Amino acid sequence: FKKIHNIVKSGKIGKIFHIEGEYNYGRFEKILHGWRGRIKNYSVTLGGGIHIIDLIQWYLGKKIEKVIGIGNKINSKTSSFINSDTTTALLKFKSGVTAKITSNFPIKTPHHHVLNIYGTKGSIFSSHEDVVLHTLTKKNKKREKINFKKDKNYKFGILDNFIYHMLGKKKPLFTIETILNNMEIAF
């Protein structure tokens, strides 16, 4: 996601006009039999999709204007889990950019995220398998696989920042305004 951020910020894909993201949980038994399923108002959007919302906000840095959401509980209808287990939201930002976010908890795959970013000069397609940058013009069809190394310690930078911020020793990675805006989208 850091590599994608660098590509977006470099201007290589031009101006973003649409983003699609999926939070594919792949561990449905944790909803049916774990603590998440025992929380009365547990939301797969707040519990999973929020991570996609965070990424979209990180890439765009824009204020949301409108959200339309829908969900179902086809996979959990005979269980004690009372809320939607799959949700999709359409978003529109004040800048005109649109987005689609899906939180799919009963998916029968390993846990992963999908993120597709569409720009005026190119598109980035990211899945649990790879990240590909496409730039297409009348004269040039270019497909470039983006190589990256997974950092097993990636959470430590975020957690350390939070702790040091609470101790007054570091500036936070995100402003309170960004956090509240992301929560507003999720709600």
Side-chain angles (χ1 to χ4, degrees):
F1 296 118
K2 287 180 182 177
K3 277 234 174 168
I4 292 170
H5 187 263
N6 292 338
I7 293 168
V8 167
K9 293 302 175 195
S10 76
K12 198 169 187 176
I13 65 166
K15 185 178 177 183
I16 295 173
F17 61 87
H18 183 70
I19 298 180
E20 294 185 3
E22 299 174 15
Y23 185 88
N24 295 313
Y25 191 62
R27 299 170 286 192
F28 196 44
E29 68 282 352
K30 288 188 174 187
I31 292 290
L32 300 178
H33 307 295
W35 61 265
R36 291 165 184 84
R38 291 190 295 274
I39 296 173
K40 182 181 174 186
N41 294 315
Y42 184 82
S43 160
V44 298
T45 302
L46 288 171
I50 190 72
H51 301 300
I52 303 300
I53 293 167
D54 286 340
L55 286 170
I56 290 172
Q57 284 292 89
W58 187 36
Y59 298 140
L60 290 178
K62 306 289 183 189
K63 184 78 172 139
I64 193 73
E65 182 177 74
K66 187 174 191 177
V67 177
I68 301 169
I70 194 165
N72 72 56
K73 57 179 273 97
I74 293 170
N75 285 279
S76 60
K77 75 177 178 181
T78 60
S79 77
S80 60
F81 186 67
I82 61 170
N83 300 312
S84 295
D85 56 49
T86 305
T87 62
T88 298
L90 299 175
L91 289 66
K92 185 170 183 184
F93 293 83
K94 288 187 177 180
S95 63
V97 176
T98 55
K100 179 179 82 171
I101 298 170
T102 299
S103 301
N104 186 343
F105 274 49
I107 191 168
K108 306 296 185 236
T109 66
H111 177 82
H112 70 281
H113 306 90
V114 173
L115 190 66
N116 300 325
I117 304 174
Y118 304 89
T120 55
K121 295 180 183 177
S123 298
I124 300 170
F125 298 98
S126 169
S127 71
H128 60 297
E129 309 240 341
D130 59 15
V131 177
V132 178
L133 169 64
H134 289 272
T135 51
L136 176 65
T137 64
K138 289 182 182 180
K139 296 178 183 180
N140 180 24
K141 293 180 184 179
K142 188 174 178 188
R143 179 186 190 279
E144 176 185 348
K145 185 171 179 180
I146 306 301
N147 294 314
F148 62 94
K149 190 175 184 180
K150 289 186 180 178
D151 179 2
K152 295 180 193 255
N153 296 319
Y154 73 94
K155 288 184 180 181
F156 292 108
I158 297 167
L159 185 57
D160 289 354
N161 178 269
F162 175 75
I163 292 168
Y164 284 117
H165 170 65
M166 296 305 288
L167 295 172
K169 296 180 179 182
K170 265 194 177 182
K171 184 178 175 185
L173 289 172
F174 300 99
T175 65
I176 192 71
E177 181 182 81
T178 299
I179 293 166
L180 293 174
N181 187 47
N182 292 0
M183 290 173 62
E184 179 184 20
I185 294 167
F187 286 128

